[in-house]
Amino acid sequence: MFLRSNANGLRRALAWPIVAALCATAPAAADDTGASRPDAATVERYVRDMWSGADGEWRKRLQQDETQAVCSQFRNAPPEDVAAAIMAREASTVVYPADGTLLGDWQEGEKIAQNGRGGQFSDAPDAARGGNCYACHQMAKTEVSYGTLGPSLSEYGKLREFSLDAAKQAYAKVYNSQASLPCSMMPRFGVHGFLSEKQIKDVIAYLFDVESPVNK
Amino acid sequence: MHQRILLSAIIAAVLLLGSVTGALRAADDAEEEIKRYREMIDDPMANPAFLNVDRGESLWALARGQKNVSLETCDLGKGPGVLEGAYAELPRYFADAGQVMDLEQRLLWCMERIQGLDTKEILSRKFGTPGTASDLEDLVAFIANKSSGMTFHIPLDDPQEREAYAIGEALFYRRGSLLDFSCATCHSADGARIRTTQLPNLTKPGPDARATMGSWPTYRVSQSQTRTMQNRLWDCYRQMRMPPPEFGSEGLTALMIYLAKQADGGTLNVPSIKR
């Protein structure tokens, strides 16, 4: 598996851990502008300076977890060994609902899919958090204001014959997108506690309920 | 002047109405509508941002601060007081300050060093509100306009500029906070949208980066204010669920030189007007 990494990935795989672990002062390979890649410690110094005024809970947001750090370093294209490590780590975080039900209320799920607020410095601290699914995905065909960064989810449940297994996979995807796709662009809604278990169930109902406009 | 304000208000109202009615139609129609209005108001007499340009011109020549002098001897990179083409070459390394600076950083530096001005007060108005004008937004509108029609020239011929570029690139890809976002989350694909908004791919040199960087500062109809890249990046980090970044910090300047380099050779048409 390690040997099948592409050359570029392998070069990065070799370069980064060495730079990061040994804090080597020698710059990494130069790109076409002649600029050297800075080591992670240098970048983080700039980050602390950019947010020198942040405190309390806000300050914690400056701290990357390991997956964020490696996806940043590899620019979302991790070599195979790093990708495998991310998947293993992230898969272990997925917590399925204790009561065994995956589908909540699709109408509530629709509100969550439409809502792009919550957690911004412009939001009230207790503002309801949304999943903002429509920012990136097509869902109900009646909603024309949808983004294209992610794949279309139209008829998501219907195309999967409303299978329980597929619903479980979707729950895991929303909870932690990187458990199945390392360095996915999609947020890890459950891992960060950004959406609650109930909210994720509601979103899964929006995808899998027979009555949901997503499946019409 | 009053006529111009009235005209601007009317145009802004028409533009808002246009955006609203446009959104009710299909997505492509809305984009087309906005494009049409944008072309219609691409007129110095109609874009409200030219009020900022006028105010900025007065502020540039206004004697104030402990030393009671104007900014007219401030060197923006092309010699003391030279405005033409200065914005098209920023951010750049300034030997006297020993660092890479964008226009706002440089203006703050000149206010302190040349005028002896209290920049805390200036920074308390870093972003204008309906009741309060921002000197920085006004000055940037005025100075950037002096580069309108010119092309970005970001040679990175100083080692510190190359270092800032590399930091900016790393920051562009740095994922974090509650949603794992980085700048690249939204700006590394060609032709993608958030909702109905087209997203420029800013990971490479080319037309997207040129169109984006060549159109700031801009009058933002949704905010009824003229905004600069400092505000745009602050707003991006808001959406990325990060805390508000420090205005004029080196990291923001690093991001800006990275973005400006991608726009190298692109033409400035500023101040522009946007949703």
Side-chain angles (χ1 to χ4, degrees):
Chain A
M1 182 168 77
F2 301 105
L3 293 174
R4 280 197 283 113
S5 301
N6 63 51
N8 197 34
L10 192 62
R11 181 173 57 77
R12 289 169 174 176
L14 291 171
W16 269 106
I18 291 166
V19 171
L22 303 178
C23 291
T25 49
D31 70 12
D32 53 3
T33 62
S36 318
R37 276 210 187 187
D39 60 72
T42 304
V43 176
E44 294 312 298
R45 229 175 22 246
Y46 275 83
V47 167
R48 285 193 295 278
D49 174 68
M50 280 169 85
W51 284 283
S52 56
D55 50 23
E57 287 300 308
W58 285 103
R59 187 144 201 90
K60 288 184 191 162
R61 297 197 193 180
L62 304 184
Q63 184 65 48
Q64 290 177 308
D65 71 14
E66 198 177 348
T67 295
Q68 288 174 335
V70 292
C71 290
S72 303
Q73 286 163 6
F74 293 108
R75 295 179 184 170
N76 303 314
E80 277 187 46
D81 56 334
V82 176
I86 292 170
M87 282 221 288
R89 182 167 60 239
E90 298 302 321
S92 72
T93 69
V94 178
V95 180
Y96 293 98
D99 67 2
T101 64
L102 293 164
L103 271 60
D105 176 348
W106 71 259
Q107 285 162 316
E108 286 303 310
E110 180 162 51
K111 289 181 201 164
I112 295 160
Q114 289 279 11
N115 181 10
R117 294 191 187 278
Q120 302 171 115
F121 60 69
S122 54
D123 293 322
D126 59 350
R129 288 173 169 182
N132 207 17
C133 316
Y134 275 108
C136 299
H137 299 283
Q138 183 179 31
M139 299 182 90
K141 287 183 204 119
T142 45
E143 175 54 89
V144 296
S145 177
Y146 62 88
T148 59
L149 282 171
S152 170
L153 307 178
S154 283
E155 300 186 33
Y156 195 86
K158 191 177 168 185
L159 290 171
R160 288 158 184 78
E161 296 170 331
F162 304 103
S163 120
L164 195 63
D165 274 351
K168 195 175 177 190
Q169 281 174 33
Y171 186 95
K173 185 82 181 178
V174 175
Y175 195 98
N176 189 339
S177 57
Q178 299 199 43
S180 49
L181 182 60
C183 300
S184 166
M185 296 292 199
M186 182 169 152
R188 293 170 292 164
F189 290 106
V191 176
H192 291 296
F194 194 84
L195 296 180
S196 66
E197 178 182 294
K198 182 192 176 301
Q199 283 182 303
I200 298 176
K201 281 184 178 183
D202 291 342
V203 169
I204 300 308
Y206 190 48
L207 291 172
F208 279 90
D209 197 299
V210 180
E211 296 304 315
S212 165
V214 170
N215 295 314
K216 302 289 180 189
Chain B
M1 187 54 121
H2 285 298
Q3 270 183 327
R4 193 195 268 193
I5 293 171
L6 182 65
L7 182 63
S8 301
I10 291 168
I11 296 292
V14 167
L15 191 71
L16 262 176
L17 192 65
S19 303
V20 170
T21 52
L24 295 174
R25 297 172 196 168
D28 291 346
D29 283 357
E31 272 300 309
E32 205 46 48
E33 280 288 279
I34 289 167
K35 192 173 160 231
R36 197 168 64 81
Y37 277 106
R38 206 178 278 154
E39 282 164 6
M40 191 183 87
I41 56 172
D42 189 19
D43 168 5
M45 294 303 287
N47 182 345
F50 280 86
L51 295 172
N52 302 81
V53 172
D54 288 350
R55 282 201 299 262
E57 184 170 17
S58 304
L59 287 168
W60 180 253
L62 178 68
R64 59 176 172 171
Q66 282 179 346
K67 297 175 187 170
N68 197 35
V69 293
S70 76
L71 283 168
E72 287 163 313
T73 59
C74 176
D75 184 348
L76 300 175
K78 297 183 74 72
V82 178
L83 297 172
E84 277 72 19
Y87 187 75
E89 297 181 17
L90 289 171
R92 71 189 301 157
Y93 176 70
F94 288 89
D96 55 6
Q99 69 179 103
V100 178
M101 293 171 146
D102 77 331
L103 180 52
E104 280 100 320
Q105 270 182 304
R106 187 60 181 174
L107 285 169
L108 289 166
W109 192 87
C110 285
M111 284 172 177
E112 286 172 6
R113 301 298 169 99
I114 296 173
Q115 296 183 298
L117 196 64
D118 174 16
T119 52
K120 275 204 184 69
E121 193 282 325
I122 297 290
L123 283 167
S124 74
R125 297 181 284 121
K126 59 183 185 287
F127 304 138
T129 57
T132 311
S134 162
D135 289 7
L136 287 164
E137 285 172 348
D138 291 345
L139 283 162
V140 172
F142 166 62
I143 294 160
N145 180 243
K146 294 285 185 189
S147 290
S148 202
M150 300 182 187
T151 52
F152 271 110
H153 181 57
I154 310 291
L156 302 182
D157 50 15
D158 185 280
Q160 300 219 39
E161 292 170 354
R162 289 195 287 278
E163 188 190 332
Y165 171 92
I167 294 288
E169 184 176 33
L171 288 171
F172 189 89
Y173 286 96
R174 184 188 185 274
R175 299 183 69 167
S177 197
L178 305 180
L179 295 177
D180 302 319
F181 287 158
S182 70
C183 308
T185 305
C186 287
H187 297 292
S188 61
D190 290 325
R193 299 194 318 250
I194 285 278
R195 292 281 187 159
T196 57
T197 303
Q198 289 289 339
L199 298 164
N201 183 346
L202 302 175
T203 61
K204 57 185 180 182
D208 281 15
R210 288 176 174 188
T212 298
M213 298 304 286
S215 58
W216 288 83
T218 190
Y219 181 80
R220 294 205 68 181
V221 175
S222 57
Q223 302 180 23
S224 306
Q225 297 289 330
T226 295
R227 297 303 191 200
T228 73
M229 274 310 279
Q230 283 282 338
N231 181 272
R232 179 59 264 198
L233 295 180
W234 176 86
D235 208 27
C236 284
Y237 277 119
R238 177 181 69 84
Q239 294 172 296
M240 287 156 67
R241 273 67 181 178
M242 289 291 278
E246 298 296 316
F247 189 96
S249 55
E250 288 182 46
L252 288 181
T253 298
L255 265 173
M256 271 185 246
I257 200 168
Y258 169 70
L259 295 171
K261 180 63 185 173
Q262 312 292 49
D264 214 7
T267 305
L268 279 145
N269 183 12
V270 288
S272 73
I273 187 160
K274 285 178 194 283
R275 180 179 64 86

